[in-house]
Amino acid sequence: MAFDVSPLWISLRTSVCAGVIVFVLGLCCARACLYAKGWVKWLTDVLFTLPLVLPPTVLGYFLLIAIGKNSPLGQVLMQWDVSLIFTWPATVIAAVVVAFPLMYRAAKGALEQVDMDMVWAARTLGMNEWRIFIRIMLPQAWPGIAAGLVLAFARALGEFGATMMIAGNIPGQTQTIPMAIYFATAAGNMRTAGIWVAIITAVSCLALAVMQYYQARAARTRGKGLS
């Protein structure tokens, strides 16, 4: 029987799409929270970080409530005969939710390390806030942001619980590598499970190596700034 490689492509496609989404959302939310004050800052920080500590099954439950057929969004989509549950987009949604806090925390921490003297100098020269963010803050914070993106990608690649609840295990459509490992093990097919374990471990090790590179680069950048 030929080895089905579709879980690899589904996982990579899901993780890349989720990575792009959380990169944009994480940066925007981190920047917004950076300038928030008082209880607004505290509340938004808690809400954005909450998926990091909640069990994946709880996140899956919330997602079912939010995008299921009986939800307001689900009812609207059903009018166009569209359903998100048990489709490939559902795997992306689950991956985005579980990976977002990692990107957000990394981006927020990196932006907080930016030299504010340069920011204030740019403001006195008349630069608007978005130009300051793109041309001054983002380049300085990039190593930490890149490390967060790699972590978010790795987390999306390994997502299981929330994906199981809202996307299921449909071969060729929603079956990611973690799904393939679980169901191969449950069926007693340890050889197939072992192959997928080796593949996802190799990809995760590669992602961690990239993260270590950017963390080392960030440390060197901070060291030059202090010298």
Side-chain angles (χ1 to χ4, degrees):
M1 184 177 179
F3 184 75
D4 182 14
V5 298
S6 64
L8 174 61
W9 308 126
I10 293 171
S11 292
L12 291 177
R13 187 172 56 153
T14 298
S15 300
V16 169
C17 289
V20 172
I21 295 171
V22 300
F23 176 76
V24 176
L25 287 179
L27 271 182
C28 292
C29 292
R31 183 183 180 277
C33 194
L34 196 65
Y35 294 109
K37 303 293 182 182
W39 66 269
V40 175
K41 184 182 182 70
W42 177 85
L43 181 61
T44 54
D45 195 52
V46 168
L47 290 176
F48 291 155
T49 309
L50 191 59
L52 189 64
V53 297
L54 287 177
T57 50
V58 175
L59 296 177
Y61 173 83
F62 284 138
L63 287 174
L64 280 176
I65 298 299
I67 66 173
K69 293 181 179 180
N70 295 324
S71 68
L73 176 60
Q75 291 293 321
V76 172
L77 292 176
M78 287 299 292
Q79 295 180 9
W80 285 277
D81 197 26
V82 175
S83 175
L84 292 175
I85 300 299
F86 300 118
T87 63
W88 177 74
T91 67
V92 177
I93 293 172
V96 166
V97 170
V98 300
F100 169 81
L102 293 172
M103 183 67 224
Y104 163 74
R105 298 298 303 183
K108 182 170 177 286
L111 291 173
E112 288 174 342
Q113 300 301 315
V114 169
D115 185 358
M116 292 304 297
D117 289 338
M118 295 183 64
V119 173
W120 283 109
R123 286 173 179 164
T124 60
L125 293 174
M127 290 181 66
N128 63 52
E129 291 298 321
W130 274 110
R131 287 190 66 192
I132 292 173
F133 179 72
I134 297 297
R135 301 192 60 178
I136 296 177
M137 300 183 71
L138 198 57
Q140 289 191 52
W142 177 249
I145 292 171
L149 179 59
V150 172
L151 275 178
F153 172 84
R155 180 64 185 88
L157 187 69
E159 162 52 27
F160 177 80
T163 304
M164 171 71 82
M165 293 188 67
I166 69 169
N169 179 57
I170 305 173
Q173 296 184 40
T174 66
Q175 187 183 61
T176 58
I177 293 178
M179 296 288 182
I181 293 171
Y182 177 83
F183 284 97
T185 303
N189 191 348
M190 303 305 291
R191 178 179 175 275
T192 299
I195 293 173
W196 284 122
V197 167
I199 291 173
I200 198 170
T201 300
V203 175
S204 298
C205 286
L206 179 60
L208 289 175
V210 174
M211 183 195 70
Q212 291 289 346
Y213 166 78
Y214 278 109
Q215 285 183 334
R217 182 177 172 183
R220 290 195 300 269
T221 301
R222 287 195 296 269
K224 291 178 180 178
L226 294 174
S227 61

